[in-house]
Amino acid sequence: MFHGKMEITYYGHSCFILEIAGKKLLFDPFIRGNEFAKDIAIDQIEADYILVSHGHSDHTADLVYLANKTGALVIASWEITTWLEKQEIKNVHPMNVGGKRSFPFGNLQMTFAAHSSSFSDGSYAGVAAGFLISFEGKTVYYSGDTGLSLEMKLIGELNKIDLALMPIGGNFTMDAGDAALASNFINCKRVIGLHYDTFGYIVIDHESSIAFFKNKGVELVLLKSGEKFTI
Ligand code: NI
Ligand code: MN
């Protein structure tokens, strides 16, 4: 089977671009206000799609700005797309947990995440979610903000995941120990760590985090802001 190339560019926290099938998918835009992304020029960012896991500001701070600037199709929960439409952002596609859809970049499923979801203005943003993206025989799992959950075992049973992007910072989400267990639940041997070091509550020790994963037979990749990773 032909295996398509996937390239990831990391912008810090849970913000990254996944490039597949010649399309750029931007996840959870949070660049301005993130000290670790201070060297990223937001106006250089191009996107064909913007995927949003939940409403919290560390995932949506630059959503409206970049949706307007790029004209990208925003894929998110019904509640998030409705909130965007009220702000005259009409190029949206609503989904909900468990839903699957084929897009020009491949197949997408919105997955369960054990987390909350609201906007900083207090409005309801639906439930928190993650995404499974499959393209030409490769599957990437972005868990979104989540605690460790048995639901992940089902995701691992039903899919062959080549790469996962998961939070490892603890306090608001899984820490490295729980995320290493989650990697075993989803049967994935390579994980890009997200949602760490951005602010005080989630500062981690890199070496011991990598060791937690190694103990479970999993490679943990920690990217610098702006760094690329290809599978
Ligand atoms: Ni959150
Ligand atoms: Mn978060």
Side-chain angles (χ1 to χ4, degrees), residues 1 5 44 77 79 105 108 131-132 135 145 157 160 170 177 184 200 214 226:
M1 189 192 298
K5 199 183 92 169
Q44 306 279 300
S77 71
E79 291 80 2
F105 58 79
L108 183 71
F131 294 101
L132 266 171
F135 165 70
D145 281 10
E157 258 172 49
K160 195 195 149 297
N184 286 173
K214 209 174 174 193

Side-chain angles (χ1 to χ4, degrees), residues 13 54 58-59 145 195:
H13 205 59
H54 65 296
D58 58 324
H59 300 257
D145 281 10
H195 215 273

Side-chain angles (χ1 to χ4, degrees), residues 122-139:
S123 53
Y124 178 59
V127 294
F131 294 101
L132 266 171
I133 307 103
S134 298
F135 165 70
E136 289 188 353
K138 274 186 185 164
T139 298

Side-chain angles (χ1 to χ4, degrees), residues 1-230:
M1 189 192 298
F2 171 72
H3 281 229
K5 199 183 92 169
M6 291 182 165
E7 185 180 78
I8 282 157
T9 308
Y10 184 54
Y11 293 132
H13 205 59
S14 296
C15 183
F16 59 94
I17 280 185
L18 174 65
E19 193 169 347
I20 42 171
K23 305 287 182 200
K24 289 179 174 166
L25 283 62
L26 172 66
F27 289 76
D28 286 356
F30 170 49
I31 290 144
R32 295 175 300 185
N34 180 3
E35 180 65 17
F36 287 87
K38 66 179 189 305
D39 295 329
I40 304 296
I42 190 166
D43 290 326
Q44 306 279 300
I45 291 177
E46 295 171 348
D48 300 297
Y49 299 86
I50 301 176
L51 284 75
V52 187
S53 66
H54 65 296
H56 291 159
S57 58
D58 58 324
H59 300 257
T60 58
D62 293 312
L63 173 58
V64 170
Y65 180 78
L66 283 173
N68 271 319
K69 181 132 205 315
T70 63
L73 178 69
V74 181
I75 303 171
S77 71
W78 171 267
E79 291 80 2
I80 288 176
T81 58
T82 305
W83 181 83
L84 287 169
E85 282 171 330
K86 280 182 202 150
Q87 299 173 72
E88 299 304 319
I89 293 165
K90 305 287 187 195
N91 195 20
V92 296
H93 183 98
M95 288 183 78
N96 213 326
V97 170
K100 295 175 188 172
R101 187 83 185 180
S102 176
F103 289 94
F105 58 79
N107 293 318
L108 183 71
Q109 182 172 22
M110 186 172 264
T111 57
F112 173 84
H115 197 70
S116 61
S117 181
S118 58
F119 290 105
S120 48
D121 64 7
S123 53
Y124 178 59
V127 294
F131 294 101
L132 266 171
I133 307 103
S134 298
F135 165 70
E136 289 188 353
K138 274 186 185 164
T139 298
V140 174
Y141 172 53
Y142 167 46
S143 70
D145 281 10
T146 183
L148 181 64
S149 152
L150 274 175
E151 301 286 328
M152 292 167 173
K153 283 198 175 177
L154 186 60
I155 290 172
E157 258 172 49
L158 298 177
N159 302 278
K160 195 195 149 297
I161 297 169
D162 298 283
L163 176 73
L165 297 101
M166 300 197 287
I168 57 168
N171 193 75
F172 300 110
T173 65
M174 299 188 285
D175 60 12
D178 280 352
L181 280 169
S183 310
N184 286 173
F185 283 8
I186 60 170
N187 271 318
C188 181
K189 299 286 177 213
R190 190 185 274 164
V191 171
I192 293 178
L194 303 175
H195 215 273
Y196 64 94
D197 286 354
T198 319
F199 28 76
Y201 293 121
I202 58 172
V203 172
I204 62 162
D205 181 75
H206 290 206
E207 274 180 32
S208 62
S209 299
I210 290 166
F212 275 125
F213 280 78
K214 209 174 174 193
N215 279 335
K216 298 285 177 194
V218 181
E219 180 194 1
L220 174 65
V221 178
L222 300 179
L223 298 174
K224 293 181 182 70
S225 190
E227 200 175 341
K228 287 181 191 293
F229 187 87
T230 305

